[in-house]
Amino acid sequence: MTVPPPPWRSAPRRRAAKPVLSQASIVRAALIVLDDEGFDAVTMRRIAQELETGPASLYAHVSNKDELAELMLDAVLADIQTPEPDPARWDEQVKELVRDQIQVMAAHRGIARIAWDIPVPVTPHSLRLGEATLALLRAGGLTLKQATFAGDALALYAKAYAYEASGWTWGEFDQAEAGERGEQMVAYMRSLPPEAFPNLLHVGEFFSAETAKERLEFALEAFLAGLKVLAKN
Amino acid sequence: MTVPPPPWRSAPRRRAAKPVLSQASIVRAALIVLDDEGFDAVTMRRIAQELETGPASLYAHVSNKDELAELMLDAVLADIQTPEPDPARWDEQVKELVRDQIQVMAAHRGIARIAWDIPVPVTPHSLRLGEATLALLRAGGLTLKQATFAGDALALYAKAYAYEASGWTWGEFDQAEAGERGEQMVAYMRSLPPEAFPNLLHVGEFFSAETAKERLEFALEAFLAGLKVLAKN
DNA sequence: TTCTACTCTCGAACACTGTTCGCGTCAAGT
DNA sequence: ACTTGACGCGAACAGTGTTCGAGAGTAGAA
């Protein structure tokens, strides 16, 4: 029972009025929803709503939610610049690249979660990052095989770290609740039986959100120091 | 409109006939479903079906699906034995502990995925493992702070590795398809433009499922070598 | 200009999820 | 023997990703 539009009012010509739907615009909208409302809010319906349309419309430009996720990740990774390898400070460059990856993922809370849902990322910027990492590691004197394995481990750790970090700042608790939760954590650990948990007892203070960066730096430093040892054999 | 049971047939007295519902039995059933049919099959309905009941019945013993996930993880971690620290071979002990964690998670494909959904694991066996790791690292001469950070990194990497490994053997493709996918991978990488991806081009062969164990060993060796370097300062 | 062909849009529906409500039934306590 | 309280669970709700097919709009051909 649809009624034709009244002839005295010019037809709104919606098609031209609102920006055309495209893969890029869908990805952009999805990222906006992700940034504003978090991972759980990124549903096909919510994205469609953002574009003032229905969920079915998205499937003309994106075949899957998984594919959309891949596109989102790639769009985010595009912000990372890859350096020219400098053999004199290759280790610092590797660290920098990992830091950049994590920072970019932190800028879009929840993208790390999405990254885990993608089995093998073969998008353009993923490949670019992979190649750049390999080049740096080779500049450090590692064989291709060693570089491959090291790059895999670094990528894995970066994703894991970013995911955990996004959990801290976007679990289900908002910023205010996070601090409270942290203190509860410390208190709980202190309450453990001392004879069974002599070490864990005092760990609470090292585990706050403030030490997150420090934990990252430690892991990077240790791993790269190890790489230098292995490279000499 | 329920009809009373016919009097000539003795009422089945179901309540006593089938094993009583309990938290432990629910966790057991959930793990069976996970092992047999994978992560996606672990739904409240499927678990209930396994126990010959309805989904609502589970909520009397388990408040959440998240809580159930935590219980499942803890049940799996129970299989890991924690060693007495031996300062002479602490590094080998750390490796062994990480390997055990990964192996146990590989035994229940998909449990790694569940592990990521748990923000901060504070179940009994998680704590036991954490304490054991700290003890080993301290035996290696690390300060408590260093040990905490190192343990965090190792736990993160173990979870990440286990998750990726479970993806290879249980993505959406079954065993036969996995090999095919792997070869497609190699072929695709070979087809990349050589001037832009001189290193990635030759990486395919190192990335098969067969080298998974080798990658793990490399990462462990590098990280622990790095820890030894850092411990001396 | 008129008709056709084709692409894009999108309301409605399907099968599925986790979770809650509340009725009924059962087993033990008084 | 009767009450009581806890547990089992059918049905329903709100939400998910995805598909179908009719409709609208545009562009090209006759």
Side-chain angles (χ1 to χ4, degrees):
Chain A
M1 265 282 280
T2 55
V3 182
W8 62 84
R9 208 149 189 21
S10 69
R13 296 184 36 79
R14 297 200 324 259
R15 193 60 70 89
K18 70 176 170 186
V20 215
L21 226 49
S22 72
Q23 205 172 67
S25 68
I26 290 175
V27 171
R28 214 178 311 129
L31 283 175
I32 289 175
V33 174
L34 180 73
D35 291 347
D36 289 355
E37 306 173 31
F39 176 81
D40 289 336
V42 182
T43 69
M44 298 306 263
R45 280 170 176 78
R46 182 67 190 79
I47 297 169
Q49 194 189 49
E50 194 71 17
L51 296 165
E52 295 180 10
T53 178
S57 305
L58 307 179
Y59 286 85
H61 307 272
V62 164
S63 63
N64 243 339
K65 204 197 177 183
D66 287 346
E67 185 182 306
L68 174 56
E70 208 164 310
L71 291 170
M72 289 172 72
L73 178 62
D74 200 57
V76 165
L77 293 183
D79 291 341
I80 302 177
Q81 290 178 352
T82 47
E84 203 64 31
D86 173 5
R89 42 180 234 99
W90 68 276
D91 52 340
E92 199 45 59
Q93 285 182 307
V94 168
K95 287 186 194 174
E96 198 60 38
L97 200 51
V98 173
R99 278 191 215 109
D100 283 355
Q101 262 171 277
I102 288 170
Q103 196 210 343
V104 155
M105 285 178 145
H108 303 270
R109 298 168 298 185
I111 195 78
R113 172 82 176 266
I114 290 177
W116 281 111
D117 291 340
I118 302 168
V120 183
V122 283
T123 64
H125 288 109
S126 294
L127 295 176
R128 180 173 59 92
L129 282 173
E131 176 66 29
T133 308
L134 285 178
L136 290 178
L137 292 169
R138 297 225 58 186
L142 274 67
T143 68
L144 181 56
K145 191 175 185 179
Q146 286 177 320
T148 305
F149 290 175
D152 176 55
L154 283 171
L156 227 48
Y157 179 77
K159 276 206 303 192
Y161 180 89
Y163 178 69
E164 209 196 29
S166 70
W168 276 98
T169 59
W170 186 276
E172 44 274 8
F173 28 81
D174 39 31
Q175 205 61 14
E177 233 170 325
E180 188 189 351
R181 178 82 175 232
E183 289 178 26
Q184 285 180 359
M185 229 15 227
V186 177
Y188 175 74
M189 288 201 161
R190 271 196 219 287
S191 75
L192 291 174
E195 63 279 6
F197 300 99
N199 292 295
L200 257 188
L201 259 180
H202 307 99
V203 149
E205 53 182 319
F206 297 138
F207 244 105
S208 67
E210 286 87 37
T211 65
K213 223 166 211 159
E214 218 176 331
R215 298 208 303 268
L216 167 62
E217 290 304 324
F218 179 85
L220 283 178
E221 202 165 336
F223 189 68
L224 281 172
L227 285 187
K228 284 179 196 163
V229 173
L230 295 187
K232 284 173 187 152
N233 308 354
Chain B
M1 264 281 280
T2 54
V3 182
W8 62 84
R9 211 154 190 14
S10 69
R13 296 182 37 77
R14 297 200 324 258
R15 194 57 73 83
K18 71 177 169 186
V20 217
L21 226 48
S22 74
Q23 206 172 67
S25 67
I26 290 175
V27 171
R28 215 177 311 129
L31 283 175
I32 288 175
V33 174
L34 180 73
D35 292 347
D36 289 357
E37 306 174 30
F39 176 80
D40 289 337
V42 182
T43 70
M44 298 306 263
R45 281 172 176 77
R46 182 67 191 80
I47 297 169
Q49 194 189 48
E50 194 71 17
L51 296 165
E52 296 179 9
T53 179
S57 303
L58 306 178
Y59 286 84
H61 303 93
V62 163
S63 63
N64 242 341
K65 202 195 178 184
D66 287 345
E67 185 182 306
L68 175 56
E70 207 163 312
L71 292 170
M72 289 172 71
L73 179 62
D74 200 57
V76 165
L77 293 183
D79 291 341
I80 302 177
Q81 289 179 351
T82 45
E84 203 65 31
D86 174 5
R89 42 180 233 99
W90 68 276
D91 52 340
E92 199 46 58
Q93 285 181 308
V94 169
K95 289 186 194 174
E96 197 61 39
L97 200 51
V98 174
R99 279 192 215 108
D100 283 355
Q101 263 171 275
I102 288 171
Q103 196 210 344
V104 154
M105 286 177 143
H108 303 270
R109 298 169 296 185
I111 195 77
R113 171 84 176 264
I114 290 178
W116 280 110
D117 291 340
I118 303 169
V120 183
V122 282
T123 63
H125 288 109
S126 293
L127 296 175
R128 180 172 59 91
L129 282 174
E131 175 65 31
T133 308
L134 285 179
L136 290 178
L137 291 168
R138 296 225 58 186
L142 274 65
T143 68
L144 181 57
K145 192 176 185 179
Q146 287 176 320
T148 305
F149 290 175
D152 176 55
L154 283 171
L156 228 48
Y157 179 77
K159 276 206 302 193
Y161 179 90
Y163 178 69
E164 209 197 28
S166 71
W168 276 98
T169 59
W170 185 277
E172 45 273 7
F173 26 83
D174 38 32
Q175 205 62 15
E177 233 170 328
E180 190 188 351
R181 178 81 175 233
E183 290 177 27
Q184 284 180 0
M185 235 2 235
V186 178
Y188 175 74
M189 288 200 161
R190 271 197 219 287
S191 75
L192 291 174
E195 63 279 5
F197 300 99
N199 292 295
L200 257 189
L201 260 181
H202 307 99
V203 148
E205 52 182 321
F206 297 138
F207 243 105
S208 67
E210 285 87 37
T211 64
K213 222 165 211 161
E214 219 176 329
R215 298 204 308 264
L216 167 62
E217 290 304 324
F218 179 86
L220 283 178
E221 203 166 336
F223 189 68
L224 281 171
L227 285 187
K228 285 180 195 164
V229 173
L230 294 187
K232 284 172 187 154
N233 310 353

